[in-house]
Amino acid sequence: TMTTMPPLTLFRHLLRHAHHMKDYNFRSYAMRRVKAGFKQNRDLQGEEAATALREGEEQLVALQRQSVLSQLYPSARSVME
């Protein structure tokens, strides 16, 4: 089994990979979702916290894949950028 990383490290990794998304909408959604998820789960303890961290690590893997794909297939720049 994979050991869980500390919450702050996971948070930083998620934000870093969200920031690497090329598309403005995906990037802002991912960053907003990471912050909201950590804020929602900040008071969890014990097994609930461990489960949330494992789910966060799964989300990190998915975000890493999406980040690579967004760099391989960039979209047109948004007027927001």
Side-chain angles (χ1 to χ4, degrees), residues 5 9-10 12-18 54-66:
M5 63 178 72
T9 302
L10 178 60
R12 288 178 179 161
H13 283 300
L14 284 165
L15 281 182
R16 184 176 301 122
H17 285 287
R54 281 192 298 274
E55 290 173 2
E57 288 174 347
E58 292 171 7
Q59 292 298 317
L60 175 61
V61 171
L63 192 55
Q64 288 170 333
R65 279 195 307 264
Q66 285 300 116

Side-chain angles (χ1 to χ4, degrees), residues 23-52:
D23 185 88
Y24 171 81
N25 290 320
F26 289 134
R27 182 173 59 247
S28 62
Y29 170 77
M31 293 177 78
R32 192 171 57 244
R33 186 66 195 104
V34 167
K35 292 174 186 176
F38 271 82
K39 186 175 183 179
Q40 176 185 355
N41 294 327
R42 69 178 166 204
D43 296 326
L44 295 181
Q45 298 290 323
E47 189 58 37
E48 288 179 330
T51 301

Side-chain angles (χ1 to χ4, degrees), residues 17 20-21 62-73:
H17 285 287
H20 285 117
M21 301 290 284
L63 192 55
Q64 288 170 333
R65 279 195 307 264
Q66 285 300 116
S67 178
V68 169
L69 286 175
S70 77
Q71 292 174 16
L72 290 174
Y73 303 103

